Amino acid sequence: MPWVEEHERDGTKVRRYFRWAPGARRDLSILVLLGIAVAGYGGTTGTASSGGPGSRSRPTSTATYPVHFEGWDDPAPTPRPTVSYPIRFDTR
């Protein structure tokens, strides 16, 4: 795919431009379509590992129920106000 250098044609100055090689557009379009086909085919899993069509192994659960969190039996004390009178913030 060569660059055509700047030249004059019939007294008209022609700027430098890029020219596709013969058949390059067709080759590029075939390559793009092949890439799309490979990308589409790569997304499928193929045949199932065991069982009939559509059967897939499911992940096993690692959770234990009932769920128990640390500090569940001895919760932290809730905060209490340190003053017994109301604080008004609307005054300047």
Side-chain angles (χ1 to χ4, degrees), residues 54-73:
S55 69
R56 295 183 181 168
S57 62
R58 301 195 60 139
T60 58
S61 176
T62 58
T64 57
Y65 294 99
V67 178
H68 186 74
F69 298 99
E70 292 180 22
W72 186 277
D73 298 326

Side-chain angles (χ1 to χ4, degrees), residues 3-90:
W3 281 97
V4 178
E5 295 298 326
E6 186 175 305
H7 63 279
E8 274 193 37
R9 180 184 301 158
D10 298 329
T12 305
K13 187 175 181 181
V14 179
R15 293 184 298 172
R16 180 179 181 209
Y17 63 94
F18 182 78
R19 180 180 178 141
W20 286 83
R25 288 186 179 152
R26 181 180 151 274
D27 293 347
L28 183 63
S29 63
I30 290 172
L31 184 65
V32 167
L33 290 175
L34 182 64
I36 291 171
V38 168
Y41 181 73
T44 61
T45 58
T47 60
S49 59
S50 64
S55 69
R56 295 183 181 168
S57 62
R58 301 195 60 139
T60 58
S61 176
T62 58
T64 57
Y65 294 99
V67 178
H68 186 74
F69 298 99
E70 292 180 22
W72 186 277
D73 298 326
D74 187 25
T78 58
R80 304 262 182 227
T82 57
V83 294
S84 60
Y85 54 89
I87 301 173
R88 296 184 355 163
F89 294 100
D90 58 349

